[in-house]
Amino acid sequence: MNESLESIFQSAWSRLENYQDFMKSKPAVISFSGGKDSALLLHFYLWLYNKNIISHSPTIYHLDHSIRDNAEQESQILKYIGSLAPNSIFKKKNVPKFANKTKLSLEEAGRVLRFRDLEKISERIGGYITTGHHAEDYLETVLLQLIRGGGWNSLRTLGVLENNRFRPLLLFREQDRKTALAKADWPVFEDESNHSSQYLRNRIRSELLPILLKEGADPDKIFHNFHDSDTPRRGIANRKVNEDEIRTVSRRILEEEPASVCKQILDLHLKSLSLHPLNSQFLADLLHNLDRKVSFSLENKEVWFWKSVSSDLYILPKTASYLKPFSYNSDSFFLKWNGKTKKIPKNCEPSNDGKGEKILLGGIHRDVSEILREKEIPVPVRKMLPILKREGKTVLLCLRMWDARLDDIRADDFQQD
């Protein structure tokens, strides 16, 4: 390996500091398409293993989609990955037939079949799935979802680590990624469908994205503006469960995977909250609402499930502090809710009844409920979220007490003491 690649991989490993323990703790299952980015991901993991930075040899997975007559290239891929790692898994499935049966696009059908295999393999070896998504992929996905009517959570798609799916290239500097691809001497097996204008994503990549990049769009910066890079939570056995924790499940996973896999994922999240698994009827109701692609709330005795049209699915245990009333000390002016404390102005009074309330913003009286909907605050939380009133008028929405990434909404005439 040349010195330039060595330096880039070392820098990337440093940028993955918050995820290093996770990467060392269990084996990776690499989703290898043969393309340039999955090749970069593969060689990064081989470098980590050969340097004894990680102790588990990666498992390489490849799926032949049976979309075209490409037996020679698939044979080359099989030979190639077999020469790199003993833990290589090669599958061939009739994706067009599956797409026709399920009424999915070829792209979606291939994704479903890939992740069905990847989930089984990772569960069998006690590992995690890793894919070659990077910052420009994130920007493409944001544009794709916005075109399809996505909301606020479209900007928070493709996290570094979600539901045992890990995307380390998102923390590569984009310039480093491109330099590594230019310096690399490993083979690349390009899928010709990636250049077809038949697919919306390809048209975004080849026509729209170059314009944004030319005008100065920075995929790295945009990604980090909407994603935290906190250390991942440790496994259930290694931590005390905090009943006030929130769980979110990727809507893409729930929309793409069969009901049996969805149940496994949901039950695992419920177990981490010391809650009972879902019964079959409740699961059916939940998946029915997901299929309708509408905003909904469902509850059982232990938990709320909530989702907006574009958000992931929230799992909200009913014992959580954010579903309990706030407390307020009128002598010290300290407001407490959801494990947070806020000192409020002396001439304000806290309330949690925002229904029917309006707030003056930019000279326009806007419905508080509309704002909370736009910010994708779960419906059960909206009923408890503190708002501040002055002389009977709503002047501040305490959004930061719910999510520190959000800014409080202040009325035009709000004045801090």
Side-chain angles (χ1 to χ4, degrees), residues 26 119 122-123 126-128 162-165 233-237 239 241 245-249 253-254 259-278 283 286 303 305 313 315:
K26 49 187 179 178
E119 294 283 358
S122 64
E123 183 178 354
Y128 63 92
E162 295 177 321
N163 300 313
N164 208 40
R165 300 182 183 187
R233 292 170 178 163
R234 298 188 66 81
I236 298 166
R239 63 178 171 86
V241 172
E245 285 181 307
I246 301 167
R247 297 290 186 271
T248 58
V249 184
I253 293 175
L254 295 173
S260 59
V261 174
C262 291
K263 178 168 171 51
Q264 291 175 5
I265 293 171
L266 292 168
D267 286 349
L268 182 62
H269 283 293
L270 292 170
K271 183 179 179 181
S272 74
L273 293 163
S274 298
L275 302 176
H276 293 92
L278 297 179
L283 176 67
L286 182 63
V303 65
F305 293 86
L313 179 71
I315 302 175

Side-chain angles (χ1 to χ4, degrees), residues 387-406:
I387 65 175
L388 301 188
K389 292 186 175 184
R390 177 182 288 134
E391 298 178 355
K393 296 181 180 179
T394 299
V395 293
L396 189 138
L397 310 182
C398 302
L399 300 187
R400 285 184 64 83
M401 297 189 80
W402 159 246
D403 186 339
R405 294 171 297 182
L406 300 177

